[in-house]
Amino acid sequence: MSVIRTSGGRSVAYRPRALAVGTGCAALAAAGAVFAIAAGSGDYPMTMLDVLRVLAGSGSPSDAFIVEGVRLPRAVTALLVGSALGLGGAIFQTVVRNPLGSPDVLGFTSGSASGALTAVVIVGGGSTALAVGAVAGGLVTGLLIYLLARRQGLHGYRLVLIGIGVTAILTGFNGYLLTRAQILEAGRAVLWITGSLDGRGWGDVVPLLIALAVLLPVVLLHCARPLRMLEMGDDAASGLGIPVERIRLTVLAAAVLLVSFGAAAAGPVAFVALTAPQLARRLTRTPGPNLLPALFMGAALLVMADLAAQRLVPGHTLPVGVVTGLAGGAYLVWLLATERRAGRI
């Protein structure tokens, strides 16, 4: 660990390897976003230099229209959704002290899907109602899981098992809603449940950007150190003066909001929240939640997955959730096998 002395006499501690990993992931996410804009779906050819000119304000009008009006909103949505999922996943895994503690396993993404389907199928709302329903569904599910789990403490595997049960119930409910939907509504709902960045505009970016602007300072400035203490257990954290219950409620609420707003913007994209914190921790080789590396790793993963979704099948654009589901599912199988060999499951 290294320490920087500031002009005011205060010191800032940091881990060089974690800083390098976070910076590398941020650079990879930015470069991937620029490349995705240049090589995105469509018949308008561009180079990365053309994209950079437009972003610098000196591109041609036609390039500016394609970049700013068509491809940039999709790339920014991928960056923000990946960041929200990576950070939310890191919080969940830290609080439950379990590598399986992600919104995919715990049921929060299924809750967002239930809220969105209710808004589309029963209420008959449009895109705004779908986004509001996704956020509301995630929050209600988070509250339900917390109330079910808190009686005997938020132990890791207890919370995971409750989340799996809630997920099963919500999956059946979501299937029922799809049988009630009209054909067009069902097609739209299935595409959203899969996770897709197609047709994303600035209206999808702004709510998530506001949520990140509000929640990031709360998590990174107010809760980062208490989260590190919580990893040692409730008794140890309380002995160090950490208000355990208040911090846990705060970070869980922030994580649920991050995941819910991410789902509202791009659907419940699978496995990014599970894999990003794990990969970040393995690369940094440092204990603790690794919040910033996980955030940047999530952004890089989703940008790369979206680029693959646009280019894997010539002439067709896959939903990004298909790519993350295939890659994340393989990672989950490997993680379960590793946990079993270690005797933890």
Side-chain angles (χ1 to χ4, degrees), residues 40 45 55 80-81 86 93 99 113 120 139 151 176 187 205 231-232 254 281 285 324 332 337 342:
L55 296 178
L80 295 180
V81 171
Q93 291 177 20
V120 172
L139 289 174
R151 279 191 173 185
Y176 168 72
V205 172
E231 282 200 320
M232 298 186 298
R281 178 171 291 198
R285 299 179 185 173
T324 61
L332 179 59

Side-chain angles (χ1 to χ4, degrees), residues 104-326:
D104 309 290
V105 177
L106 297 178
F108 298 106
T109 52
S110 296
S112 293
S114 297
L117 285 174
T118 300
V120 172
V121 176
I122 297 179
V123 180
S127 299
T128 301
L130 186 149
V132 173
V135 174
L139 289 174
V140 171
T141 304
L143 179 61
L144 174 64
I145 292 175
Y146 179 79
L147 292 176
L148 290 173
R150 73 183 297 269
R151 279 191 173 185
Q152 300 179 19
L154 290 175
H155 301 293
Y157 285 107
R158 173 180 170 80
L159 192 60
V160 170
L161 292 174
I162 290 175
I164 291 174
V166 171
T167 299
I169 294 172
L170 293 176
T171 299
F173 177 68
N174 294 344
Y176 168 72
L177 288 179
L178 287 175
T179 63
R180 289 276 310 273
Q182 301 295 325
I183 293 179
L184 292 179
E185 289 178 343
R188 176 184 168 205
V190 168
L191 179 62
W192 183 86
I193 289 176
T194 304
S196 176
L197 293 167
D198 291 345
R200 294 302 180 265
W202 293 115
D204 302 294
V205 172
V206 172
L208 180 55
L209 184 61
I210 294 174
L212 283 169
V214 173
L215 295 173
L216 278 180
V218 173
V219 174
L220 298 179
L221 300 180
H222 178 64
C223 299
R225 180 180 175 276
L227 267 178
R228 289 195 296 271
M229 301 300 103
L230 282 179
E231 282 200 320
M232 298 186 298
D234 290 359
D235 293 338
S238 297
L240 293 170
I242 302 299
V244 173
E245 195 66 19
R246 181 167 61 83
I247 291 296
R248 181 180 285 124
L249 278 173
T250 301
V251 295
L252 282 177
V256 171
L257 283 170
L258 287 168
V259 172
S260 299
F261 274 97
V269 179
F271 291 117
V272 174
L274 174 71
T275 56
Q278 291 292 312
L279 292 176
R281 178 171 291 198
R282 291 177 186 278
L283 289 175
T284 60
R285 299 179 185 173
T286 58
N290 289 283
L291 296 178
L292 280 177
L295 181 149
F296 292 128
M297 178 65 76
L301 286 178
L302 193 55
V303 166
M304 294 303 172
D306 186 45
L307 180 60
Q310 296 181 65
R311 310 302 295 181
L312 276 178
V313 181
H316 297 278
T317 300
L318 298 174
V320 69
V322 172
V323 178
T324 61
L326 291 173

